[in-house]
Amino acid sequence: MTTRRWGDNDRHFGPFLFARDRRWKPTAIVLGSGHDEYVGCNLRVSAFGFTMIVEMPAIIKPSRVWVDTSGRSWSTSPNGGYWDEHEREYGFTLSEGHLSVSLGRQTQDSSTEQRWGYFLPWTQWRYVRKSWYGLAGELLRTEAESKDIEVRRNSWQAQREFEDTMPKAVFAFKDFDGEELSATTHIEQMEWKFGTGYFKWLSLFRPRKVRRSLDIQFSGETGKRKGSWKGGTTGHSIDMNRGELHESAFKRYCAEHGMTFVGAAE
């Protein structure tokens, strides 16, 4: 039997595996049937960043479905088909407000997988609004979130049209390799409040979450991956610090990414 691996800090003691993860800290109790190289059942218990997995006898078996390929011209199977085998899992995993309940076969295909999931409304943030700001930081426009799908669709189109025409700053800079490029920027801000559905009232007891960002669109690819199959960056957004406007935020970005700020483009 292949020695089971769970993470980068695994410790094995006979049939027990202990692991610790400082970033991902789910709460889980899951019984698995085992599959492929991991023969036999296993019981996984996770809490507070610690995980314990116990190897067990084959109490439950993997899911097996016969796939008939006898009528396929490409089939070379002497038996006219093959067994499609997948692990079965029973239990639950709670991670970052999402509850996932395993009810059987795990195929990674939503049409056949036996799993149920739900975001717990008392753990989630709800989107409230998006705002756009001008060259001097003045408010230009605010769009509140709507429950109506058609309203949201029309609002999205209106937002794209507004962003195409709103005042923007343009800066000249040199990339890490000396290539001269320009960057076009605008400022936007998004707001979320805590609690969704019947739990919106929780926002009375927790501060809202606001992200103010500088949207940057480059005139060409930037970064050390440009020209390669991975490709460089042509645009993204960055978080803005308190009191920053277009120029100060973009200067900071240049300093952090090996670029040379030249100045406002003519």
Side-chain angles (χ1 to χ4, degrees), residues 130-142:
K130 184 176 182 179
S131 301
W132 293 263
Y133 295 84
L135 299 178
E138 72 279 13
L139 177 64
L140 298 176
R141 180 189 180 104
T142 293

Side-chain angles (χ1 to χ4, degrees), residues 33-248:
S33 67
H35 176 57
D36 288 340
E37 71 266 39
Y38 300 132
V39 180
C41 292
N42 65 89
L43 177 66
R44 172 167 57 88
V45 180
S46 298
F48 308 108
F50 293 93
T51 292
M52 178 186 72
I53 300 177
V54 185
E55 303 297 339
M56 302 173 63
I59 302 172
I60 55 177
K61 302 294 185 180
S63 168
R64 300 183 77 207
V65 177
W66 178 256
V67 180
D68 186 359
T69 63
S70 58
R72 306 291 183 177
S73 60
W74 47 261
S75 178
T76 58
S77 172
N79 300 319
Y82 64 92
W83 288 103
D84 186 22
E85 183 174 303
H86 295 278
E87 183 175 17
R88 295 185 193 271
E89 287 185 349
Y90 298 91
F92 75 91
T93 300
L94 178 62
S95 177
E96 298 181 350
H98 183 266
L99 177 64
S100 177
V101 181
S102 300
L103 303 169
R105 62 180 177 274
Q106 305 301 306
T107 64
Q108 309 304 317
D109 181 345
S110 60
S111 65
T112 58
E113 188 168 75
Q114 294 177 309
R115 185 191 299 272
W116 176 83
Y118 181 66
F119 282 99
L120 304 180
W122 57 87
T123 66
Q124 302 301 302
W125 292 85
R126 68 183 185 275
Y127 172 63
V128 176
R129 55 100 183 169
K130 184 176 182 179
S131 301
W132 293 263
Y133 295 84
L135 299 178
E138 72 279 13
L139 177 64
L140 298 176
R141 180 189 180 104
T142 293
E143 287 282 348
E145 174 68 343
S146 173
K147 294 182 180 180
D148 189 283
I149 295 178
E150 188 63 29
V151 171
R152 289 206 302 267
R153 185 182 296 112
N154 294 335
S155 175
W156 184 88
Q157 181 61 32
Q159 290 178 22
R160 301 288 79 74
E161 293 174 355
F162 174 75
E163 289 183 358
D164 289 340
T165 60
M166 68 179 291
K168 298 181 181 181
V170 182
F171 303 104
F173 72 97
K174 293 182 180 180
D175 203 3
F176 76 98
D177 58 357
E179 181 182 8
E180 296 183 2
L181 297 166
S182 64
T184 301
T185 67
H186 72 262
I187 298 173
E188 55 189 45
Q189 187 180 83
M190 299 181 73
E191 178 183 343
W192 297 264
K193 290 184 178 179
F194 194 67
T196 61
Y198 292 114
F199 293 88
K200 289 183 178 180
W201 55 271
L202 290 174
S203 61
L204 297 173
F205 305 99
R206 190 163 181 176
R208 62 178 183 166
K209 184 165 60 175
V210 178
R211 179 179 184 260
R212 194 178 184 93
S213 60
L214 185 73
D215 183 271
I216 309 173
Q217 297 298 319
F218 300 107
S219 60
E221 285 187 319
T222 67
K224 296 184 179 180
R225 291 182 176 179
K226 67 181 181 182
S228 70
W229 66 271
K230 293 183 177 181
T233 299
T234 59
H236 61 139
S237 63
I238 61 170
D239 290 338
M240 299 182 71
N241 296 330
R242 184 181 297 275
E244 283 187 330
L245 287 176
H246 296 259
E247 183 172 323
S248 54

Side-chain angles (χ1 to χ4, degrees), residues 1-6 10-12 14 17 37-38 55:
M1 181 178 68
T2 303
T3 302
R4 185 180 299 277
R5 290 202 59 191
W6 179 251
D10 294 350
R11 298 291 185 272
H12 294 86
L17 181 156
E37 71 266 39
Y38 300 132
E55 303 297 339

